[in-house]
Amino acid sequence: MKVQEWEVRRARFSLKEENVYILQGDWPSGYELVVFLDKEKIPARREAWEYESALEVFGKPETLKGEKITVFLTLPENWENCRHLGVFALNGEEKLLWYEASVKRLKEARRTPQFYLEEELVDGKNGNLYLRGWAADREQVKIGLFDQEKKKLPYKIRRSDRLDVQMLYFETEIGKNCGFTIEAEGVSGRLAYLVLSGSGGKQIYPVNLNPARILKHKMEKYMKRGMDYWRIHGMQALTARVARELFPASEEENVDYQVWIQRHIPGPGELERQRNTAFPYMPKFSLILPVKSMEERQLKQLLRNLENQTYRNFEVCLADETEDVHLHEVLHTFEKEETRLHVTEQPEHTGIAEGVLSELKEAKGEYLLFCRQEDLPTPDALFAFARVINEHPEGVLFYPDNDRMTLDGNRFFEPEFKPDFDPELLETTNYIGRFFLVKRDFFEKYGSVDADFSGACDYDLLLRLTEAATKEQLIHIPRILCHIRMEEGVSAGEEEWERARLALTAHYERLGEKAMVRKGEKTGFFRTRFVREESPLVSILIPYRGEKEALRRCIASLDRKSSYQNYEYLILTAEENVEEGLTEKPLRLVHFGQQATKAVLFNEGVKQAKGNYLFFLAPDTELIGADSLEEMLGSCMRKESGIVGARLYDGENRIAHAGVIIGLHGLAGAAFAGFPKTEEDVYSRILSRQCYSAVTGACMLVKRSVFEAAGGFSEDFGLAFWDLDFCLRVGALGKRVIYEPYAEFYHYEDREKLQKEAKERLEEFHQAIALFEERWSELIRTGDPFYNPNLTLEKEDFSLKRN
């Protein structure tokens, strides 16, 4: 008998019929379903696992593994006396095992209410407890928290609507707001009990509060976090290869987006609930839609899609720029049937900008939704915008995530999971896209549609609006709300790219900045060189512990290669002297004891530095590009900038640092660590100037004024995390932490030495982890704003999260 090769994705008891066990997954086509409880055959029926309605609108995605089915197993009254359940697929004499479970496991799964804890954080020192998860039953589950003496604990609970859980329990209505987060303070003892009560009983979950047990439970996670941190700081002794041997990473393949999107599109029940929902504020939306040349089928698909929106308070202002008489007729037929559709015919040979301008005059909504004819909003798109407007009344510009869809609707690809507002990334590429919502009065005050940028007028508009808005007014919705219809491999044309470059140049002129904008390495991307009006002194601070050859190579690379030469060196060391003749530049020694941490070294070194820009640099680095320091300084001298980091490679030409993601592996990790130098990531983020929450202290340029305003590096951390903590405090001041991809350095390591240091100082390292986790727990919990909650925190490659 062959082993199982077809995946069961979900297995649970029905909430409607207590003896019905439900399985959902991929089934081999053409096979018969047979189920045995021990040796007795039991009844079972199968149904197609229905695709969500939005996918039916666009066409089914390709199925990679046969059929998708739902199986309903009716267990006999005496099933609890049996031992084993087996589900098989039969085709002639071939017999495949599809699913099996012990009866003991089934008994445990039958308990209600059904629940799942997704996150469990305990601060044993301060007695703080945080739990996040969901609980499902036919009515809302009651939740309580008790101490080990069974006395009720005070706690705060926030409930939330969980569309994914509602879709899971399709056979019956479950209690609304089935998601929950619980926060409690001052919890003591060894255990606390989470008690969940529903219609059929209650479940009790013990939460372990014992610090020793918690530490033991977390040790493997801490070690993995630790390895990632060392890698962030250039500790190539613990390379990706060694890390994989000591702490094996998951061998699972990346999540298939075709499968992922099915789980994240609302089903019929949720869409019906949306249609019956009334918000406190029901704004009117005006969709600004220029239509030029397209197939009749695609035009009808777009118009029907808009008709089926679950939020109904909107109008469509359509600029008819088509030259096809039949398409004119289609548009006017729809206009007669749909009172919310307003069609305005445009003169021949007008551009997109002219069409948008024409429709803006007709729009009557309080919010303007800009889209193109290729854009296909999801059925819940307008509902999602309305909900977020009610949650964020301060918002003036709203943008969601999007993906692409083949013209036949059979495949979704290239999802764009965006960060929260990132002004540096927007100056690199229009990552916001062309499907976005703007508050009308804000648009009328600050926005404009310039025909000179036709083809890139949406990018020009976004630049103008974001110049005038505050960060809090720019709202990102981390949800796929738009499918862009296009063939795979198609990208923006050369003319549109050039118009966008001109729009970006105009943006810098409005800001009063001198900049040279040229096209980047990929279509739609730009590289900006900021033109300095002065050449300030840069103080280069290098900690030194006797690495003579490394220090010689580091200084020589700067002196011989760098196009920027106005700098001084401060060597922070316990050595009495360093090699003479290292440089002709000003060089001073700042002496310290052997045990001084880097935070202490740098803080004291800054006091003796003369420059207004501070370049913190590891001794085992080597400059690659001649204009690297020039690039970093140009970015750092901008008004909003605070810190600039570089792209670092190890000795094997693999990325050692391209920004830091807070929350990666539960704490923090280096983006794209281990990627080959020549490998391109899916979002081209490696090549993009952008904001990150943090960059590594191994190569960090900082404004002195910002360094002093932040209070320097925290000396509480000792061995590690002083640099990440500093970056986060600078970000909290409203200053940008920037990754500059065109500033490139090698970062070499003495692997054996650093491996030894990691082992000898492991306790000190864990203390730094605990302090960082305590100080920045809220950010770790809520997520890095320059990442996306739909992306994995298990790997560094910006791949999809498994949810």
Side-chain angles (χ1 to χ4, degrees):
M1 184 178 68
K2 293 185 178 180
V3 296
Q4 176 182 346
E5 55 183 278
W6 301 94
E7 182 179 7
V8 175
R9 300 178 183 274
R10 300 172 180 172
R12 62 177 179 82
F13 273 92
S14 168
L15 287 179
K16 187 176 182 180
E17 301 173 87
E18 62 179 15
N19 275 14
V20 172
Y21 195 56
I22 300 174
L23 304 171
Q24 290 181 305
D26 302 311
W27 181 263
S29 298
Y31 282 66
E32 178 188 357
L33 171 68
V34 180
V35 183
F36 289 95
L37 190 61
D38 289 344
K39 296 182 180 181
E40 181 182 350
K41 187 175 179 180
I42 65 171
R45 64 183 175 90
R46 51 179 281 192
E47 296 178 356
W49 182 358
E50 294 294 337
Y51 289 86
E52 287 75 14
S53 59
L55 283 175
E56 292 174 336
V57 172
F58 307 140
K60 284 186 179 182
E62 62 186 16
T63 302
L64 301 179
K65 292 189 175 182
E67 311 171 47
K68 294 186 181 296
I69 67 167
T70 301
V71 175
F72 300 86
L73 310 180
T74 303
L75 302 177
E77 291 184 3
N78 66 338
W79 69 270
E80 294 187 12
N81 298 324
C82 299
R83 298 179 61 188
H84 183 266
L85 173 72
V87 182
F88 299 89
L90 297 183
N91 187 1
E93 295 184 359
E94 185 177 17
K95 185 177 183 181
L96 305 178
L97 175 63
W98 190 58
Y99 178 82
E100 64 177 338
S102 67
V103 168
K104 180 180 179 181
R105 177 179 168 188
L106 294 180
K107 290 178 181 178
E108 293 174 351
R110 190 184 185 187
R111 297 173 185 168
T112 59
Q114 297 179 22
F115 76 99
Y116 182 70
L117 273 185
E118 297 163 315
E119 193 170 10
E120 183 179 349
L121 299 175
V122 180
D123 179 357
K125 181 178 179 181
N126 298 309
N128 296 330
L129 175 63
Y130 174 83
L131 304 172
R132 178 173 63 85
W134 55 262
D137 204 346
R138 283 168 289 182
E139 60 186 37
Q140 187 171 78
V141 176
K142 297 177 182 179
I143 300 176
L145 189 65
F146 299 83
D147 65 15
Q148 62 187 25
E149 304 299 329
K150 310 300 184 352
K151 295 179 181 178
K152 193 168 185 178
L153 290 168
Y155 64 93
K156 295 178 182 178
I157 183 169
R158 294 192 300 274
R159 294 184 182 265
S160 59
D161 191 21
R162 288 291 297 266
L163 179 60
D164 56 332
V165 180
Q166 291 167 3
M167 290 172 61
L168 174 62
Y169 292 91
F170 57 86
E171 74 276 12
T172 186
E173 290 286 332
I174 63 173
K176 293 184 177 180
N177 296 324
C178 53
F180 65 84
T181 58
I182 291 175
E183 295 180 78
E185 299 178 351
V187 181
S188 60
R190 293 184 300 105
L191 290 172
Y193 295 97
L194 179 67
V195 179
L196 305 103
S197 304
S199 59
K202 65 181 179 181
Q203 294 255 46
I204 300 176
Y205 178 81
V207 182
N208 204 314
L209 304 174
N210 187 297
R213 290 181 177 271
I214 294 169
L215 183 60
K216 182 179 179 181
H217 178 70
K218 284 188 173 182
M219 185 59 73
E220 290 186 4
K221 291 183 180 179
Y222 272 169
M223 289 300 293
K224 179 164 179 54
R225 297 173 190 175
M227 305 313 292
D228 290 318
Y229 176 78
W230 282 119
R231 182 168 55 200
I232 290 168
H233 289 71
M235 186 156 180
Q236 290 310 118
L238 304 177
T239 58
R241 185 181 306 148
V242 176
R244 281 195 297 270
E245 290 174 0
L246 295 177
F247 308 98
S250 171
E251 293 299 322
E252 293 180 331
E253 295 180 358
N254 285 346
V255 177
D256 181 355
Y257 183 66
Q258 291 287 93
V259 175
W260 187 95
I261 189 63
Q262 295 175 46
R263 296 200 296 263
H264 290 79
I265 291 180
E270 170 58 21
L271 294 177
E272 186 60 30
R273 276 191 287 271
Q274 291 180 8
R275 293 185 184 99
N276 297 323
T277 297
F279 295 109
Y281 174 45
M282 302 284 283
K284 183 173 184 177
F285 299 139
S286 293
L287 278 73
I288 309 301
L289 177 61
V291 172
K292 213 168 180 65
S293 175
M294 63 190 306
E295 293 183 11
E296 178 184 345
R297 177 179 60 84
Q298 295 168 358
L299 176 59
K300 288 181 176 179
Q301 183 188 47
L302 172 59
L303 296 175
R304 290 195 183 106
N305 170 269
L306 295 176
E307 285 181 343
N308 291 329
Q309 288 292 312
T310 58
Y311 184 82
R312 311 299 292 167
N313 192 18
F314 70 94
E315 63 177 356
V316 180
C317 301
L318 191 149
D320 178 6
E321 303 170 26
T322 64
E323 298 178 5
D324 186 327
V325 175
H326 185 62
L327 288 183
H328 285 307
E329 294 174 356
V330 171
L331 286 172
H332 288 294
T333 299
F334 268 88
E335 186 178 23
K336 292 175 183 177
E337 298 174 354
E338 176 55 75
T339 58
R340 293 172 298 177
L341 174 62
H342 312 298
V343 179
T344 305
E345 290 191 19
Q346 300 297 304
E348 290 186 9
H349 307 302
T350 56
I352 291 176
E354 289 84 352
V356 170
L357 286 168
S358 173
E359 292 312 308
L360 285 171
K361 297 176 183 177
E362 304 296 323
K364 297 179 175 60
E366 298 139 292
Y367 288 83
L368 308 172
L369 179 58
F370 292 87
C371 53
R372 299 273 190 97
Q373 66 181 34
E374 299 86 5
D375 299 339
L376 208 59
T378 61
D380 62 331
L382 299 188
F383 180 89
F385 279 123
R387 181 182 60 200
V388 174
I389 286 170
N390 278 269
E391 294 171 350
H392 297 278
E394 74 281 4
V396 296
L397 188 151
F398 305 80
Y399 65 96
D401 297 337
N402 62 262
D403 63 11
R404 287 167 173 75
M405 183 181 75
T406 53
L407 296 179
D408 60 9
N410 285 334
R411 180 171 172 77
F412 299 88
F413 61 100
E414 293 184 11
E416 295 183 7
F417 291 108
K418 307 165 187 177
D420 289 352
F421 179 62
D422 183 342
E424 301 286 333
L425 186 58
L426 187 61
E427 291 173 347
T428 299
T429 185
N430 181 11
Y431 81 93
I432 290 177
R434 57 198 189 186
F435 184 74
F436 55 90
L437 185 75
V438 184
K439 194 171 185 179
R440 185 192 186 100
D441 57 6
F442 188 80
F443 171 84
E444 291 174 344
K445 186 174 182 179
Y446 298 107
S448 70
V449 178
D450 193 332
D452 290 340
F453 304 117
S454 191
C457 55
D458 42 17
Y459 186 39
D460 175 63
L461 175 58
L462 285 167
L463 290 168
R464 293 174 186 272
L465 294 174
T466 55
E467 289 165 20
T470 64
K471 180 178 67 173
E472 292 73 23
Q473 293 176 304
L474 304 169
I475 310 299
H476 168 225
I477 305 172
R479 182 174 177 81
I480 299 289
L481 295 182
C482 179
H483 307 288
I484 302 173
R485 296 175 294 182
M486 63 189 298
E487 293 296 351
E488 296 184 70
V490 175
S491 58
E494 185 71 25
E495 183 179 352
E496 184 175 327
W497 193 9
E498 174 60 19
R499 294 281 182 90
R501 189 190 69 81
L502 295 174
L504 181 57
T505 301
H507 159 74
Y508 289 125
E509 291 173 355
R510 290 191 298 271
L511 294 180
E513 295 182 305
K514 294 182 179 180
M516 296 184 296
V517 180
R518 54 185 174 179
K519 295 175 181 178
E521 297 178 36
K522 187 177 179 181
T523 303
F525 284 72
F526 303 100
R527 179 178 177 181
T528 300
R529 169 68 69 84
F530 296 100
V531 179
R532 294 177 289 98
E533 294 184 350
E534 58 177 340
S535 298
L537 177 67
V538 176
S539 296
I540 304 176
L541 297 94
I542 305 175
Y544 174 67
R545 298 186 185 275
E547 310 95 331
K548 293 181 181 180
E549 182 57 37
L551 183 63
R552 185 186 304 121
R553 181 175 56 228
C554 174
I555 291 177
S557 70
L558 287 162
D559 290 352
R560 295 172 186 173
K561 295 181 183 179
S562 179
S563 60
Y564 191 84
Q565 287 288 314
N566 189 23
Y567 52 80
E568 64 169 355
Y569 292 106
L570 288 91
I571 309 301
L572 317 174
T573 182
E575 306 285 324
E576 290 189 11
N577 296 292
V578 297
E579 181 181 344
E580 294 184 2
L582 284 174
T583 179
E584 294 181 1
K585 298 288 183 181
L587 183 150
R588 284 174 287 142
L589 299 184
V590 182
H591 293 286
F592 292 94
Q594 192 68 39
Q595 298 302 313
T597 64
K598 287 183 180 177
V600 172
L601 291 174
F602 284 138
N603 284 342
E604 292 301 317
V606 167
K607 294 177 182 178
Q608 299 190 37
K610 297 178 180 178
N612 285 327
Y613 290 85
L614 310 168
F615 191 20
F616 302 102
L617 191 63
D620 47 5
T621 55
E622 180 182 354
L623 180 72
I624 297 174
D627 55 356
S628 293
L629 186 52
E630 191 90 51
E631 295 277 4
M632 296 177 76
L633 187 60
S635 289
C636 200
M637 290 180 70
R638 301 183 75 190
K639 180 180 177 181
E640 302 301 328
S641 301
I643 300 173
V644 178
R647 181 163 29 159
L648 306 182
Y649 305 100
D650 63 19
E652 297 176 354
N653 277 319
R654 293 181 176 272
I655 288 179
H657 171 270
V660 175
I661 300 165
I662 303 301
L664 191 62
H665 300 305
L667 201 67
F672 307 111
F675 266 53
K677 185 177 182 180
T678 56
E679 185 173 334
E680 184 178 329
D681 66 282
V682 65
Y683 299 112
S684 298
R685 295 286 290 268
I686 294 174
L687 300 174
S688 301
R689 191 182 90 244
Q690 62 197 284
C691 292
Y692 271 101
S693 289
V695 294
T696 176
C699 184
M700 175 192 289
L701 183 64
V702 186
K703 281 180 183 170
R704 177 187 281 273
S705 59
V706 171
F707 183 88
E708 292 172 348
F713 297 113
S714 172
E715 298 175 11
D716 296 335
F717 282 94
L719 177 63
F721 293 97
W722 48 272
D723 49 355
L724 305 193
D725 171 77
F726 174 70
C727 289
L728 294 176
R729 286 188 285 113
V730 167
L733 294 176
K735 293 298 182 181
R736 298 175 189 171
V737 178
I738 301 165
Y739 160 68
E740 177 51 72
Y742 294 104
E744 297 177 282
F745 290 76
Y746 283 114
H747 189 194
Y748 308 106
E749 308 282 359
D750 182 339
R751 298 184 177 184
E752 292 183 1
K753 178 180 177 182
L754 292 174
Q755 274 184 317
K756 181 179 179 182
E757 182 179 12
K759 292 178 181 178
E760 291 175 349
R761 305 179 70 179
L762 192 59
E763 182 61 31
E764 185 180 349
F765 183 57
H766 283 159
Q767 290 173 1
I769 289 175
L771 178 58
F772 185 82
E773 195 171 43
E774 177 185 350
R775 185 172 289 185
W776 299 104
S777 59
E778 183 67 14
L779 176 61
I780 295 170
R781 183 177 65 82
T782 58
D784 192 323
F786 298 110
Y787 199 51
N788 186 294
N790 293 300
L791 300 179
T792 182
L793 292 173
E794 298 176 359
K795 295 191 286 185
E796 302 85 353
D797 60 359
F798 282 59
S799 58
L800 274 171
K801 180 190 291 185
R802 293 186 178 276
N803 62 5

